[in-house]
Amino acid sequence: MHTKTLAQLAQGLKNKEFSSVELTQHYLDRIEKSDLNAFITVTDELALIQAQAADDKITKGNASVLTGIPYAHKDIFCTQGVKTSAGSKMLDNFISPYDATVSHKLNQADLVMLGKANMDEFAMGSSNENSYFGDVKNPWDKTKIPGGSSGGSAAAVAARLSAFATGTDTGGSIRQPASLCGITGLKPTYGRVSRYGMIAYASSLDQAGPMTQTAEDAALVLNVMAGFDEKDSTSAERDVEDYTASLNDSIKGLTIGLPKEFFSEGLDDEVASQVMAAVKEFEAMGATIKEVSLPNSAYAIPTYYIVAPCECSSNLSRLDGVRYGYRCDDPKDLEDLYLRSRSEGFGEEVKRRIMIGAYALSAGYYDAYYLKAQKTRHLISEDFKKAFKDVDVIMGPVSPTTAFDLGSVKDSVSMYLADIYTLSANLAGLPGMSIPAGFAQNLPVGLQLIGNYWSESKLLNIAHQFQQQTDWHTQIPEEKD
Amino acid sequence: MEWETVIGLEIHAQLNTKSKIFSSASTQFGAKPNSQACAVDLGLPGVLPVLNKEVVSKAVKFGLAVDAHINQRNVFDRKNYFYPDLPKGYQISQLDWPIVGEGEIEITLGDKTKVIGVTRAHLEEDAGKSIHDLYDDYTAVDLNRAGTPLLEIVSEPDMRNAKEAVAYAKKIHALVQYLEICDGNMQEGSFRCDANVSIRPMGQEKLGTRAELKNINSFKFLERAINLEVERQQDILEEGGEVAQETRLYDAVKHETRSMRSKEEANDYRYFPDPDLLPVEISDELMAQIKQELPELPQEKKARFIAEFGLSEYDADVLTSQKPMADYFEKMIVNNADHAKLCANWIMGELSASLNKHQLELLDAPITADDLSLLVNRIGDDTISGKIAKDVFKAMWDGEGSADEIIEAKGLKQMTDTGAIEAIVDEIIANNQAQVEQFKSGNEKILGFFVGQAMKATQGKANPKLLNEMLRSKLG
């Protein structure tokens, strides 16, 4: 069953080829056997209850499109009555009293939550090595990282431990692990999916999206996740399209922009040639290729690593040991309570970013760092606006390399370089995708698609058409016992 | 040396919305601790603020009433600091782009007026409450107040003594009540004043180092705290010392201020625009609508009271200085349009005196405007005299019933029976021939003697007008 796509599974459930309880149990068994550490919490009892309820609906004939489909939910989304840790010791004891809007929508659509997927602590990381709950392994090679921060989600989908997974992307956290694990990941336009109940890392950049086997699956899941939410002032008051509607449209005449800045030094040769091969495939399908320039994307890393830490330094202030979450033993006074709870509760990378952010926002530095970064961010957006006058979609690599060895990247700055191609889309608020585009060093390589604002349908259409011509997305890592 | 005092005020007016500024929890005062704090107010992971649009209209109303520039695009910022009653670790406030820009307001002191500048007014959320004396080893936190909408109104340092500061604070207090944007309840903390006080040698332009006085919850304490602080600073400077820039808490019980934190200990608040909230955009249409909905303001009401009811400048000014008083007057007037001056006198006289004596607010007065208007009616229609009315008023205050019930029960109705009064007058004239002779020889003042005698005989119930006429005709 697990080799089927989400679309096929949904059909199977409708046709009663198998029940949701059977499907759910099958995935739970696979999770049980898996040693990838893709989950922080497995909600097996809850999953079987949800599956039974879904089966009842299917029997009664009042099921919706995805009723009974099991999924892995990134542990950054609040789930009522279930531990929501965000990969941190700080929230190891936090049972959320409420549902995130995304969680609520998935429940309303009768989906079955298998558990909460592992992730870098508070979504800060590109390798999933920053989780309090341990590293996640790449299913293609267990000595490699799965990417991050949605590493557990990507590994779960790649290893077929769930039909799909949710992810969040602040600087590439959906696209980069999707690329390194060989699956399809979509980061929608900022404001398309509600952030309410999604534990905030960098509020102006965070965006949730689906992580799936195929573009068609991603369209089906985005149909459920997307939409205006009055509880999120930054969500867009814009109707939700049916993202499956234009999947089969022809892409003849499509103009693809290749930013020269995305093919510069630091890009692995084999990755580059896989990406170019994919672009050639599009050419064969009737698309034309054009070189574009995104000159300010060179500043994406420094810009991002000011904006995101500034916001996170403030967003994470509520984790103070006072009302919930980790509190140090025997605080001797208030200062001690704050100091030790936060020192002991947060991991190194999180503390590093809080300190960078607090520094950049402090009196006398604000203009030089935060304001400057905001200006650069604006310039990066303008580059894209200009490029989209000439092209329909921008393509390039997702990650400069394939998945690297667990434990091999020791310093933060080298780690930050892994995000070089993904950050721009977040800074500009644009939708981006990663789709499987081949292998290098026996590891998956992803192709990145960046579209104009609100062009999710177009991106999914382009990706789906590519997946009709290629079979990279159907590859499954070999399972050895 | 002669010193000049310079005062600026920061007033926090709690906007009277039903729900909080960024959540749907109730703002009702006095509920069980932490019963009115929802997920957003508690600062749970993942929650987001959503602006209560009511606060925008209310802030704009205030801005228009002080002739201020309204920033139709204004921005919420985060003010970051750690404290247990600040659940998110930051307060959402406005720094660079407040909703209300520069404005001004006129204050009156005796027969002088002065214009005080309003620097700005911005929207922000209140913090919760820390209670330090409830448990021995712990501080208790009540988050019911967290997220209550505040309008912080900042004045220019335009006031030169405590009396001016109080006059300004009272003026703002009256204004927010007129606008019906704040209930003005100082006991419950709905209207709070912080005072920035400094002194400088008379004639010097450069401002002295200021101290910020906090925790002042009445106008009386505002005046006392400022005077106390001025004395303190004078003592320091005259002894050759330097005033430290610091925040000082006023203790009303001990009547002292004490240092809370120095400039060095002040937080770096690391302000930045709140990425969870979009900038507020106020359309021209909304501006026009709010302008149209502005209620009658104190100055306009005063002018109308003079024109419509023939009140004196002074009376109109006193009556309109507080909205509850103006409302009280207008309610009385409904049944007493012909006796406006009498209504004004009774409010400013007996009623105000009794309120003062019992330390009550007008809204808590045991005599309603309707009740008092009936009493004034009875004076107007000659049922009782003004003097008797004071006794009736006292009985009404003590809850003995309505004016009519008391007049009836105590038999206070004026004698208007000419025959009965005549009999009494005749008797008095007959028994006091010596005084009659004096009157006849031109001593007009002696008339008072006869009036007194007649009043005594009628227990004050004789209609004074009738009595006077009768005496004059009989004596003349």
Side-chain angles (χ1 to χ4, degrees):
Chain A
M1 282 185 281
H2 61 270
T3 57
K4 291 186 190 322
T5 66
L6 183 156
Q8 290 163 344
L9 289 172
Q11 203 53 50
L13 286 167
K14 293 273 140 18
N15 298 342
K16 304 207 171 70
E17 289 163 32
F18 42 84
S19 69
S20 175
V21 169
E22 284 166 340
L23 183 61
T24 300
Q25 191 58 60
H26 178 69
Y27 279 124
L28 289 171
D29 292 343
R30 289 181 62 75
I31 293 167
E32 173 78 32
K33 272 190 271 170
S34 161
D35 60 357
L36 298 172
N37 197 27
F39 287 84
I40 290 172
T41 306
V42 177
T43 50
D44 42 2
E45 281 178 33
L46 178 68
L48 289 167
I49 291 168
Q50 288 181 331
Q52 186 57 59
D55 282 334
D56 293 346
K57 282 205 172 177
I58 293 168
T59 310
K60 285 185 196 142
N62 52 8
S64 61
V65 183
L66 299 185
T67 297
I69 297 287
Y71 72 102
H73 206 16
K74 187 175 181 180
D75 207 19
I76 200 165
F77 294 98
C78 283
T79 42
Q80 190 173 351
V82 175
K83 178 165 105 175
T84 303
S85 75
S88 182
K89 177 181 179 182
M90 193 53 110
L91 290 176
D92 188 20
N93 65 1
F94 181 66
I95 311 290
S96 176
Y98 79 104
D99 269 332
T101 296
V102 167
S103 308
H104 178 72
K105 280 173 174 271
L106 294 169
N107 284 340
Q108 292 297 106
D110 312 318
L111 288 147
V112 175
M113 184 175 82
L114 295 166
K116 305 294 293 286
N118 204 342
M119 58 182 283
D120 280 306
E121 184 177 5
F122 292 108
M124 298 179 203
S126 310
S127 67
N128 217 118
E129 292 167 300
N130 295 337
S131 170
Y132 174 65
F133 303 93
D135 302 345
V136 176
K137 299 180 181 76
N138 191 313
W140 294 92
D141 178 344
K142 290 174 191 168
T143 67
K144 307 283 184 189
I145 58 121
S149 69
S150 310
S153 298
V157 175
R160 305 302 192 254
L161 304 180
S162 67
F164 77 94
T166 57
T168 60
D169 190 318
T170 306
S173 284
I174 287 176
R175 290 160 290 156
Q176 187 253 18
S179 169
L180 302 190
C181 288
I183 63 162
T184 300
L186 168 64
K187 178 202 100 71
T189 309
Y190 182 78
R192 180 67 294 181
V193 177
S194 168
R195 294 189 297 114
Y196 186 78
M198 202 174 101
I199 297 176
Y201 159 24
S203 313
S204 73
L205 301 162
D206 294 343
Q207 185 59 203
M211 301 179 76
T212 56
Q213 293 172 41
T214 68
E216 183 187 16
D217 291 358
L220 287 165
V221 177
L222 187 61
N223 276 349
V224 176
M225 290 175 81
F228 169 68
D229 180 7
E230 58 181 23
K231 290 183 187 146
D232 174 3
S233 312
T234 62
S235 82
E237 238 175 315
R238 215 186 141 89
D239 287 341
V240 176
E241 308 158 40
D242 174 0
Y243 293 103
T244 62
S246 52
L247 287 175
N248 294 312
D249 289 1
S250 163
I251 57 163
K252 248 191 205 100
L254 184 79
T255 315
I256 297 170
L258 295 184
K260 56 181 180 206
E261 293 81 3
F262 281 20
F263 295 89
S264 51
E265 63 173 316
L267 178 61
D268 178 276
D269 288 345
E270 284 186 59
V271 170
S273 61
Q274 286 303 314
V275 168
M276 285 318 292
V279 171
K280 286 270 175 298
E281 183 70 39
F282 278 108
E283 225 173 356
M285 291 161 68
T288 51
I289 313 297
K290 220 171 170 174
E291 192 186 88
V292 293
S293 179
L294 302 170
N296 290 295
S297 64
Y299 307 115
I301 291 181
T303 302
Y304 175 88
Y305 280 99
I306 292 296
V307 174
C310 283
E311 293 184 12
C312 94
S313 73
S314 174
N315 282 335
L316 298 189
S317 291
R318 65 190 62 194
L319 300 154
D320 56 6
V322 174
R323 297 168 316 287
Y324 53 79
Y326 178 77
R327 180 188 286 190
C328 65
D329 289 332
D330 306 316
K332 66 176 199 297
D333 56 24
L334 183 61
E335 175 101 4
D336 186 46
L337 170 93
Y338 284 148
L339 210 65
R340 280 202 290 128
S341 297
R342 289 169 65 82
S343 298
E344 295 164 16
F346 288 132
E348 289 308 306
E349 183 59 28
V350 171
K351 280 188 271 195
R352 180 176 296 114
R353 294 194 195 186
I354 289 174
M355 290 198 302
I356 293 170
Y359 177 82
L361 287 176
S362 51
Y365 297 98
Y366 179 84
D367 290 6
Y369 293 109
Y370 184 81
L371 269 193
K372 188 91 173 185
Q374 290 299 343
K375 285 177 189 160
T376 315
R377 184 176 180 177
H378 180 72
L379 293 177
I380 290 169
S381 305
E382 290 299 309
D383 281 355
F384 278 106
K385 258 183 213 155
K386 218 172 126 206
F388 282 122
K389 282 184 184 151
D390 299 328
V391 301
D392 302 312
V393 63
I394 286 167
M395 290 190 190
V398 177
S399 168
T401 64
T402 54
F404 44 85
D405 287 339
L406 281 160
S408 65
V409 177
K410 297 274 196 277
D411 71 299
S412 304
V413 175
S414 305
M415 189 68 90
Y416 297 169
L417 291 174
D419 306 331
I420 187 159
Y421 304 128
T422 48
L423 298 175
S424 298
N426 298 85
L427 290 167
L430 294 165
M433 274 189 93
S434 172
I435 55 174
F439 289 82
Q441 299 111 23
N442 295 318
L443 289 164
V445 171
L447 171 73
Q448 183 169 212
L449 283 58
I450 299 173
N452 212 336
Y453 297 103
W454 316 110
S455 68
E456 285 80 2
S457 282
K458 187 79 203 161
L459 288 181
L460 288 161
N461 164 230
I462 296 166
H464 181 70
Q465 289 307 306
F466 181 76
Q467 291 177 344
Q468 298 306 296
Q469 303 300 321
T470 58
D471 65 355
W472 305 118
H473 61 286
T474 64
Q475 311 285 318
I476 303 174
E478 198 183 325
E479 290 176 39
K480 286 177 231 159
D481 285 318
Chain B
M1 188 184 292
E2 210 183 333
W3 299 97
E4 184 179 42
T5 303
V6 177
I7 304 160
L9 292 186
E10 286 170 21
I11 292 173
H12 287 88
Q14 182 182 318
L15 298 176
N16 56 354
T17 52
K18 284 204 174 64
S19 59
K20 294 185 177 178
I21 184 167
F22 298 119
S23 84
S24 54
S26 166
T27 53
Q28 192 74 44
F29 180 83
K32 204 169 136 260
N34 296 307
S35 64
Q36 288 179 177
C38 68
V40 174
D41 307 319
L42 293 174
L44 289 184
V47 297
L48 297 171
V50 177
L51 180 64
N52 179 347
K53 296 211 169 64
E54 282 276 298
V55 303
V56 172
S57 309
K58 287 179 195 281
V60 169
K61 266 187 195 171
F62 175 80
L64 292 174
V66 295
D67 260 335
H69 172 73
I70 306 292
N71 289 317
Q72 284 180 249
R73 184 176 195 277
N74 55 91
V75 177
F76 282 104
D77 296 287
R78 292 185 183 178
K79 179 181 179 179
N80 293 285
Y81 67 95
F82 285 97
Y83 205 67
D85 60 24
L86 188 72
K88 297 187 296 296
Y90 58 84
Q91 178 195 26
I92 304 177
S93 181
Q94 298 190 306
L95 182 68
D96 291 330
W97 297 99
I99 186 163
V100 176
E102 239 173 279
E104 59 179 42
I105 194 163
E106 193 181 87
I107 59 168
T108 311
L109 274 171
D111 53 358
K112 287 200 190 101
T113 61
K114 179 172 179 178
V115 173
I116 305 291
V118 172
T119 314
R120 55 182 285 164
H122 64 258
L123 289 165
E124 62 182 26
E125 58 179 344
D126 207 346
K129 219 184 257 173
S130 291
I131 305 144
H132 299 292
D133 53 3
L134 195 60
Y135 304 107
D136 284 345
D137 298 331
Y138 292 92
T139 291
V141 175
D142 178 5
L143 294 176
N144 282 354
R145 205 181 63 185
T148 300
L150 299 177
L151 185 67
E152 181 174 339
I153 304 157
V154 182
S155 84
E156 289 290 299
D158 284 348
M159 289 148 279
R160 293 292 171 265
N161 57 56
K163 290 231 181 310
E164 284 184 8
V166 170
Y168 166 80
K170 281 187 171 169
K171 196 85 190 200
I172 297 285
H173 186 248
L175 190 60
V176 295
Q177 288 185 303
Y178 265 95
L179 294 167
E180 294 179 339
I181 60 173
C182 170
D183 69 15
N185 191 324
M186 297 180 83
Q187 257 68 52
E188 291 176 4
S190 307
F191 190 89
R192 313 195 282 265
C193 299
D194 299 339
N196 285 307
V197 179
S198 66
I199 62 171
R200 60 184 171 190
M202 194 60 87
Q204 178 183 303
E205 197 161 330
K206 191 170 170 276
L207 290 170
T209 306
R210 67 187 154 84
E212 184 181 3
L213 306 178
K214 281 189 176 291
N215 198 34
I216 303 168
N217 65 2
S218 80
F219 295 125
K220 194 168 72 187
F221 293 154
L222 177 63
E223 186 168 344
R224 285 186 187 172
I226 291 172
N227 286 332
L228 195 65
E229 179 59 19
V230 169
E231 272 173 44
R232 191 186 70 87
Q233 292 188 11
Q234 269 182 23
D235 289 349
I236 293 173
L237 293 175
E238 280 168 4
E239 280 164 28
E242 270 180 42
V243 174
Q245 186 176 332
E246 62 184 351
T247 303
R248 299 182 69 85
L249 270 188
Y250 176 67
D251 183 332
V253 179
K254 294 184 186 155
H255 185 50
E256 62 173 31
T257 64
R258 56 177 175 269
S259 183
M260 194 170 122
R261 59 172 175 261
S262 71
K263 188 189 173 192
E264 288 71 34
E265 291 167 298
N267 285 305
D268 177 353
Y269 290 119
R270 292 174 282 119
Y271 277 100
F272 74 107
D274 191 334
D276 288 334
L277 291 161
L278 303 175
V280 181
E281 306 273 1
I282 306 169
S283 66
D284 293 342
E285 290 73 33
L286 183 60
M287 287 289 291
Q289 192 194 325
I290 295 169
K291 225 173 252 178
Q292 206 167 23
E293 285 169 3
L294 271 189
E296 189 181 35
L297 297 176
Q299 296 299 335
E300 298 160 1
K301 203 181 273 288
K302 180 180 158 188
R304 182 168 64 81
F305 280 6
I306 293 168
E308 199 172 319
F309 304 117
L311 295 185
S312 70
E313 174 98 13
Y314 175 81
D315 287 357
D317 197 55
V318 172
L319 286 178
T320 54
S321 66
Q322 295 171 46
K323 176 144 194 299
M325 200 185 265
D327 287 347
Y328 198 100
F329 174 74
E330 294 206 77
K331 260 192 218 147
M332 282 188 74
I333 276 299
V334 172
N335 302 318
N336 267 309
D338 299 338
H339 308 301
K341 173 69 187 158
L342 207 49
C343 289
N345 287 348
W346 274 85
I347 294 171
M348 292 156 59
E350 288 301 302
L351 182 64
S352 293
S354 298
L355 289 170
N356 269 342
K357 189 174 145 199
H358 295 94
Q359 295 199 328
L360 285 176
E361 294 295 324
L362 183 53
L363 292 171
D364 304 320
I367 301 178
T368 66
D370 285 343
D371 294 343
L372 190 58
S373 94
L374 277 174
L375 178 63
V376 171
N377 252 331
R378 292 295 166 262
I379 305 167
D381 66 11
D382 286 336
T383 307
I384 53 172
S385 66
K387 191 161 175 290
I388 294 279
K390 290 186 181 180
D391 298 332
V392 178
F393 178 88
K394 202 169 168 300
M396 287 168 72
W397 186 278
D398 294 338
E400 292 176 30
S402 72
D404 282 345
E405 284 164 3
I406 292 164
I407 291 166
E408 185 64 39
K410 299 198 169 179
L412 298 175
K413 218 169 180 171
Q414 259 179 165
M415 285 175 70
T416 46
D417 177 346
T418 326
I421 296 177
E422 196 171 2
I424 291 166
V425 166
D426 287 345
E427 198 187 329
I428 292 169
I429 289 176
N431 294 339
N432 295 284
Q433 277 307 311
Q435 284 81 357
V436 173
E437 286 312 315
Q438 284 184 37
F439 184 82
K440 285 188 170 162
S441 60
N443 184 358
E444 280 274 327
K445 281 184 189 158
I446 205 74
L447 189 67
F449 166 78
F450 292 102
V451 173
Q453 290 294 311
M455 281 297 180
K456 201 170 158 191
T458 59
Q459 285 131 17
K461 288 184 289 186
N463 179 317
K465 209 171 134 213
L466 211 60
L467 181 65
N468 264 301
E469 283 167 5
M470 199 175 286
L471 277 168
R472 279 186 184 282
S473 76
K474 292 213 180 241
L475 289 168

